[in-house]
Every structure is written in C-alpha cells, then in structure tokens.
Amino acid sequence: MGGSAAKRRIVYQIYPKSFYDSDQDGIGDLKGITAKLDYLKALGVNTLWLNPIYASPQIDNGYDVSDYYQLDPTFGTGDDFAELVKQVHAKGMELILDLVLNHTSDQHPWFKEALKDKQSKYRDYYIWQEAPAGKLPNNWGSFFGGSVWQADPTTKNNYYFHLFAKEMPDLNWKNPAVREEMYQVAKFWLAQGIDGFRLDAFIHIAKADLAQNVLADSDSPQIAEMFYANLPAVKTYLAEFIGRLRQEKPDIFILGEAASADIDLAVTYTTPEKKACDTVVTFRYFTDDESYLDQELPRIGQLLPLDLKAFRTNMLEWQKRLEGVSYPTLYWSNHDLPRIVTRFAPKKAPEKAAKMLATLMYLQRGIPCIYYGEELGMRSAFLPDLASFEDEQIIDFATKAQAKGKTPEEILKMASQAHKMAARTPLRWDDSDFGGFSSVLPWKWGQETSASIKAQIADEKSVLSFYQQVLALKQTDLFIDGRFILENTEPELYVYRRILAGKEALVLCNLSEHPQTVALSAPGKVCLSSNAKVHEKSVTLKEYGCLVLMREGI
C-alpha cells in the first residue's frame, strides 16, 4: 500500500500504554493490541501507527530510547510483536512504528560511552560545546523548558545539547556514522515485517552555528527554531535516509512529523522525486484565537479556541498547494495536543460536534490519521493532581494561576483541558471499573465521560457508528481522488465539493452552536447526515450539523 497507494491509507494512531491491557498490570501492551484488531478492522482503518515501544526509561513516555533493537518489557516480547505483525497482515492491515531520529535517552549505550571516554567514537554521536566558566554556550531554549544545554558531569565547562528533556541528548546527524546507525535501526525493523515509519521530530536533525545567540532583551533561554528546525541540511539527511529505505522496501510508507513546517517545506518534504515522505503532519492547520489568552499566565495551561477564519484559510492553502505533489495528513488530535472535542465543544453537544468534525476533516483530499478514542468522541480527561501531568511547566502555571486567585480545582480543570497528558488516558472498552481497559488502576487515569466502545457498538446513532460511515465513504474513489473546492462562506460554515468523473459530493458542516441555512443550487442524494434537514432548495444545519449530498451527471 506504499508509494502511489499511500493515498488510500486510513491511519489509526495507537498510544500503546493506553489501548488495552492484556496482562492486567495497568499498562497497555502488544497482546492487547492484537486482541482488538477485529475492532480496528470493523472501524474501517487500514494502517496502524504505534507510538514508541522500544526499551526506554520512560522519561518522555518512550520517546527517550535506550535501545532501538529491544522492546520495552512493559509492552511484551519479541514473540508478541511477531504475532502482532502476523495478525495485522492477516486482516489486510499494515503496521508502522514511531522512529525517534533526533535524540536518544541518556541511558543509551552510545551516550554512556560518550560520557565515559571523551576520545570514544561515540562522543561525536552527540552535540557538545564548551563555554567559559559560569556561562552556557548560547541562549537557546529547550521545548521542555530551560536551556538546551546540560553540563557534562565528567568534563569541566563542557555541555551537551538536548532540544527536549535533559535526559534526551540530541544526536549529531553531521556524523555519517550516526546516519548509518539510524539506517541500520530502520532496516532491522523492516526485517521484522513492519510496513513503514512515522519519523518523529525529523525537522530538528540539523542545527545551525552553535556560537550564535538569539538576539533578545531577556536573559532567559529563548525558543530558537530558526537555529534548530527545518534547516537546509534536513532535506539532505532525509533524502539519503528515505532513499536507502525505499531501496530496501519500495512500497514503504513514511509519515513525517513536521510540526512547524509551512506549506513550502511540506512540498519539499513530500515531493516523490526528492526521496521524501509520503505525507507529513503539520501543526500549521490550527491557529489559536489569541483574544482568549491571559498574558499573565503561561500558555501551556490555557485552552484556546480555534480561529475558524484562519483555519479555513490554512486548510485551503494545504489542500491546493499539495495538489499534484502529495496528499496532506488529515487529523484533529494526537498525543501532543488536547483532544479536539474538548478544544472545540467542551460543554454543549459534544457527540454532534465529534460527528461534524469527522465529516469536515476526513472527507477532504488527504490521508486521515485518527487518534485512538477519537472515534468515540473521547475528550481530554480531568486529571486528579498536578503530578499526573508529569511536566514542570504545569507546576509553574499552577503557581502563577494560584497567585491570581484560581482555586486548585479551577487550575486542574484548566490544565486538563489544555495539556497533552490529559489526552493520553486509557480507551474505554466497556462501563466496568477502569473502562474495561484493565482490572487494576491504569498508569494514567482521570474522569472522562464519553460512552464506551461496548455502548457505542450497540447504538447505531453513536459517534463510533458515524465514524464507520465516514471512513466507508473515504475509501471510495471520489473521496480519494476527487478535486477539492472550498466554498466561500462565513467562518462558522465549512462547505466544500469533491468532484470526479461526473460525480460530485457536497459536504456541508456547521461549526457553531446555532442553526445555519445553506442554499442549494441543485438537489442531491443524502449519503451522510447528522443533525441536518434538507429542504427543496436549502439545507438547515442545526448545532454542529453536517451533511453530504451526492450528485451525478454533472
């Protein structure tokens, strides 16, 4: 299904810790995924993406890899993985793994050797810089807070570079040996039968001149993406890496995480002749409505609504600029974002909103990427305490919010709505204790009110049932290959057409809580509907209503 067939993929992102616990230790595992493949097949997805399952100290939930060739024992054994691959393929689906390219754990043997011996070849596997006593090499800031520099405990005035947590030192991709090592890792997992990779944070594998400071008025570390994101060398490294993988497996599927990439970079990162990704995920779709931001509080604890006008403009640009190049990734949520129903409709009609959002996003031109539980209308959970967020930046948010008079409960609610960790809680399979995910307290648990899988399977009007209908439509040629035309409407409406071989689908979505009426130029056959009513020459979309009309012979 790789190469030109990538456009037919419907990806389902599994956060393994939270999918299903087969051995009742509170943590999801590989056997748990294997046990639920029939559910995924019935949903209508065909490609499963697993967040990292490699050996890890779990400082960053598996993105800190201590051994790329070993599974973390909490997820199971090599035999468990082999059985998962076998069963995924037997059901006509494919499996891709998250591959962490930018950094390792500080517990990785390479880094341990680099610390032990400054003359070791592994020293140059990482990024080091000296600085005068009492100073850092530069003022660049880490995405996880503080500086990107951490003192080498074995060498005076020497520092290693970490773009994320200090326990996650960045690899030096300038070193050909590092590039060879990462190719060998990928080759190993392809030999285990997997079908591709999601390339984590690949846009950061090249860094600029380490002597350059960010010009800023403040002495505090500064986020400096111009120096460590989307640099020209990224394209060089990517082409070499993917080119070699496509020689190994011509139909490999590559999903790249290009969080801050603009549309021009997305074209570069997905142009086939450039030995590139099949598709990339960008955070550029979603523009926050800054008018709701409290400037006196850290942004990390504040849930901001979408700027709907900007969203329409962003989506139109990505839809049209990638025509003839590649297929954009279509997604609402992932493990780094609050869940979309919480962000979009935390109070009123969440199930209706979930159905509308699925219709809006996944019937556009592109490759759906559905975050586990999204098909249930799952919301971000209300986490019980600040420690549950596992983030020092939330502690800072809470301190400042408390100083402004917020109560502990208000602070927890704000953080739970805005923070990524509240979007990583276990899937609810039934209505028993802990949602049928496990018989013991899960690794992460919080209050979440969407209906369980068992309840939704029994309800033909459920969000789950609606997702099955959306994905069935998505597998038709019209919604894969059809031209995309976005209509010019007011911001609270999202209306587009898909056109192919004399057929046209008109997709109408109401992004608001109040009814909207849309005039129809011609009648059509209703093939999908939620909270909508068709009149002779118009359609009424009630709160979060949506409708798909099919026309032929155009």
Side-chain angles (χ1 to χ4, degrees):
M1 205 189 297
S4 61
K7 65 184 181 181
R8 299 189 176 276
R9 290 187 183 273
I10 298 177
V11 180
Y12 187 91
Q13 180 187 354
I14 294 176
Y15 202 73
K17 280 186 170 183
S18 294
F19 191 69
Y20 183 63
D21 174 18
S22 73
D23 58 2
Q24 308 306 306
D25 63 354
I27 303 173
D29 46 52
L30 296 173
K31 282 187 174 180
I33 298 169
T34 303
K36 300 297 185 180
L37 291 178
D38 284 340
Y39 165 75
L40 296 170
K41 181 71 174 178
L43 175 60
V45 301
N46 55 36
T47 304
L48 309 182
W49 152 30
L50 306 189
N51 285 96
I53 55 174
Y54 317 104
S56 169
Q58 300 293 321
I59 294 295
D60 187 27
N61 290 279
Y63 283 94
D64 50 320
V65 179
S66 57
D67 189 337
Y68 286 98
Y69 295 97
Q70 297 295 324
L71 296 169
D72 194 288
T74 58
F75 296 127
T77 67
D79 288 343
D80 296 336
F81 183 78
E83 182 64 15
L84 173 61
V85 172
K86 177 182 175 182
Q87 293 302 324
V88 166
H89 290 163
K91 295 184 185 300
M93 298 187 289
E94 294 192 348
L95 183 71
I96 67 172
L97 295 184
D98 221 317
L99 186 58
V100 186
L101 297 176
N102 180 70
H103 50 266
T104 70
S105 165
D106 62 358
Q107 299 304 304
H108 196 288
W110 300 341
F111 192 71
K112 288 184 175 181
E113 287 297 319
L115 287 180
K116 187 187 304 180
D117 180 5
K118 196 173 181 179
Q119 304 306 315
S120 166
K121 71 173 185 176
Y122 295 110
R123 187 79 175 183
D124 195 41
Y125 275 36
Y126 297 90
I127 300 170
W128 306 87
Q129 190 80 349
E130 292 189 356
K135 291 190 175 182
L136 295 172
N138 61 35
N139 65 349
W140 300 357
S142 161
F143 290 133
F144 282 20
S147 172
V148 297
W149 298 105
Q150 181 69 18
D152 176 357
T154 64
T155 308
K156 189 176 182 180
N157 298 335
N158 208 245
Y159 297 82
Y160 68 84
F161 186 102
H162 63 91
L163 196 47
F164 298 93
K166 68 180 186 300
E167 297 89 353
M168 299 158 64
D170 279 40
L171 288 164
N172 176 21
W173 272 71
K174 283 185 178 179
N175 185 346
V178 169
R179 303 200 296 273
E180 179 64 26
E181 292 274 14
M182 298 313 295
Y183 167 68
Q184 291 299 331
V185 168
K187 184 178 176 182
F188 171 84
W189 287 104
L190 288 178
Q192 311 309 305
I194 71 164
D195 303 288
F197 296 100
R198 181 258 190 186
L199 303 183
D200 178 66
F202 78 84
I203 63 174
H204 301 299
I205 57 179
K207 277 79 175 177
D209 183 352
L210 302 177
Q212 178 65 59
N213 278 293
V214 181
L215 303 179
D217 296 330
S218 171
D219 291 333
S220 62
Q222 306 291 311
I223 295 297
E225 288 206 68
M226 72 287 283
F227 296 128
Y228 47 62
N230 299 303
L231 270 63
V234 169
K235 292 175 278 189
T236 303
Y237 300 149
L238 191 68
E240 175 190 305
F241 182 72
I242 294 179
R244 294 183 71 186
L245 292 183
R246 293 204 189 280
Q247 288 180 342
E248 192 72 29
K249 182 178 172 59
D251 63 346
I252 191 173
F253 176 58
I254 302 289
L255 166 64
E257 184 201 17
S260 60
D262 61 19
I263 186 61
D264 293 321
L265 285 165
V267 169
T268 297
Y269 292 148
T270 61
T271 301
E273 58 267 25
K274 293 185 178 179
K275 301 174 183 176
C277 302
D278 289 294
T279 185
V280 293
V281 173
T282 177
F283 286 11
R284 293 280 183 126
Y285 294 167
F286 310 121
T287 301
D288 292 332
D289 185 340
E290 300 279 350
S291 67
Y292 288 85
L293 183 66
D294 185 338
Q295 300 288 349
E296 296 180 0
L297 292 177
R299 191 186 191 101
I300 195 169
Q302 301 184 64
L303 180 70
L304 301 178
L306 289 177
D307 181 330
L308 297 179
K309 185 176 181 180
F311 170 72
R312 283 160 41 86
T313 300
N314 296 341
M315 290 304 302
L316 178 60
E317 180 180 35
W318 282 73
Q319 283 287 316
K320 304 313 290 186
R321 289 283 301 280
L322 289 178
E323 280 184 359
V325 177
S326 62
Y327 285 74
T329 301
L330 305 174
Y331 80 104
W332 281 119
S333 302
N334 62 38
H335 62 288
D336 284 329
L337 297 172
R339 288 189 176 271
I340 186 57
V341 175
T342 295
R343 183 176 186 181
F344 193 83
K347 295 179 181 178
K348 192 174 183 182
E351 291 82 11
K352 293 183 178 71
K355 293 176 182 179
M356 180 275 295
L357 291 166
T359 303
L360 186 162
M361 184 61 75
Y362 300 128
L363 294 181
Q364 296 179 110
R365 180 181 180 276
I367 301 170
C369 194
I370 298 163
Y371 188 46
Y372 82 98
E374 182 188 320
E375 73 276 16
L376 307 178
M378 194 168 168
R379 280 145 267 176
S380 295
F382 184 88
L383 298 184
D385 50 50
L386 294 177
S388 297
F389 295 93
E390 302 178 34
D391 190 339
E392 288 297 321
Q393 296 177 91
I394 285 294
I395 304 300
D396 177 54
F397 167 79
T399 301
K400 292 176 179 176
Q402 188 174 17
K404 285 198 68 176
K406 299 290 185 184
T407 67
E409 185 170 352
E410 287 173 330
I411 291 168
L412 280 175
K413 182 177 180 181
M414 290 178 70
S416 294
Q417 288 183 335
H419 197 268
K420 62 187 179 183
M421 193 58 75
R424 300 179 180 183
T425 53
L427 198 53
R428 297 182 63 235
W429 292 94
D430 61 34
D431 297 317
S432 62
D433 290 344
F434 309 128
F437 165 79
S438 180
S439 61
V440 301
L441 181 67
W443 75 280
K444 190 69 62 181
W445 189 247
Q447 181 183 354
E448 199 280 308
T449 56
S450 64
S452 69
I453 289 172
K454 183 178 180 180
Q456 295 206 31
I457 286 175
D459 179 5
E460 64 181 16
K461 295 183 179 180
S462 68
V463 177
L464 174 59
S465 175
F466 194 86
Y467 258 76
Q468 290 173 314
Q469 296 174 62
V470 170
L471 298 184
L473 273 181
K474 183 62 183 179
Q475 291 172 328
T476 62
D477 289 343
L478 176 59
F479 288 104
I480 294 172
D481 292 319
R483 288 176 57 212
F484 173 92
I485 300 174
L486 182 66
E487 301 292 332
N488 186 16
T489 64
E490 59 185 274
E492 290 183 334
L493 279 171
Y494 198 93
V495 179
Y496 61 91
R497 290 179 284 150
R498 302 297 306 276
I499 303 170
L500 181 71
K503 292 184 179 180
E504 177 186 79
L506 180 65
V507 181
L508 306 101
C509 298
N510 179 5
L511 287 81
S512 74
E513 293 182 350
H514 53 268
Q516 305 262 12
T517 299
V518 182
L520 291 179
S521 59
K525 177 184 177 183
V526 176
C527 58
L528 188 70
S529 178
S530 171
N531 213 30
K533 187 173 182 179
V534 181
H535 310 290
E536 185 177 352
K537 294 185 178 180
S538 66
V539 171
T540 298
L541 302 172
K542 301 176 185 177
E543 59 181 8
Y544 302 126
C546 60
L547 183 74
V548 179
L549 289 176
M550 199 75 70
R551 300 165 176 168
E552 296 193 31
I554 62 169

